[in-house]
Amino acid sequence: MHLLLINGPNLNLLGQREPSIYGSSTLQAIEVDLQRKAKEEGVQLDCFQSNFEGALVDRIHKAIGEVDAILINAGAYTHTSVALRDALLGAGIPYVELHLSNTSAREQFRHNSFLSDRAVGVISGFGVMSYHLALQGILNYLRKPG
Ligand code: CA2
């Protein structure tokens, strides 16, 4: 099984700024930890981060025929990007939307997601644990019979 973790804009700053909202782990530490966990499950996990919407779209296109599912924290593009939605739906790859913070408990403009209605599931508000729960959730989804 082959999975892809995608992180969107500003998430490269994790662990360096605003720890009260986003925690103190760096993105690299999260990725290494998740890749270790995936490997224990016999799964390959690739990781990609970009601050550019088009680069995220390109990476989703590249994933067609390559990965079984995508875990995505699209950052602020969650709330703005029809292009990311179209790329995910066009790729036809099942995906989990995830967030460190509980976006529903934050500003009104974070309450809308262009991705959530077609996601396998959405995980939001558990900090770094959101990444682990997303991995667990998608493995359970992909492995379930039928
Ligand atoms: O809670 C999440 O994971 C978000 O996707 C994070 C985005 C935000 O726009 C979404 O509404 C919710 C922001 C990521 C910014 O990451 C930073 C990390 C450290 C310092 C500054 C920004």
Side-chain angles (χ1 to χ4, degrees):
M1 202 178 290
H2 190 171
L3 303 178
L4 172 64
L5 171 67
I6 294 180
N7 279 284
N10 297 308
L11 288 157
N12 56 310
L13 294 178
L14 280 177
Q16 300 167 44
R17 299 270 192 285
E18 302 195 68
S20 59
I21 305 177
Y22 299 116
S24 54
S25 303
T26 64
L27 182 58
Q28 200 202 355
I30 293 169
E31 289 175 345
V32 167
D33 211 23
L34 217 67
Q35 278 176 324
R36 183 188 49 76
K37 206 166 193 177
K39 199 172 172 190
E40 280 170 13
E41 295 279 351
V43 170
Q44 180 183 339
L45 176 72
D46 296 337
C47 300
F48 181 77
Q49 188 276 332
S50 180
N51 296 318
F52 296 91
E53 193 174 17
L56 296 166
V57 169
D58 281 347
R59 186 63 190 88
I60 292 166
H61 292 173
K62 187 169 171 274
I64 297 171
E66 174 190 294
V67 310
D68 300 294
I70 293 174
L71 310 176
I72 183 163
N73 183 350
Y77 290 146
T78 305
H79 320 298
T80 63
S81 181
V82 177
L84 271 188
R85 176 191 176 85
D86 287 348
L88 286 164
L89 300 192
I93 301 169
Y95 63 92
V96 175
E97 174 185 343
L98 75 101
H99 299 283
L100 292 151
S101 61
N102 177 359
T103 51
S104 298
R106 300 183 64 190
E107 303 95 323
Q108 187 69 37
F109 64 82
R110 295 186 205 274
H111 295 187
N112 175 61
S113 165
F114 280 101
L115 312 183
S116 59
D117 64 310
R118 299 294 293 273
V120 171
V122 180
I123 294 170
S124 186
F126 293 96
V128 171
M129 183 56 68
S130 290
Y131 287 84
H132 294 271
L133 294 170
L135 176 63
Q136 213 177 304
I138 203 68
L139 289 179
N140 189 60
Y141 172 83
L142 292 172
R143 287 171 174 166
K144 105 182 145 212

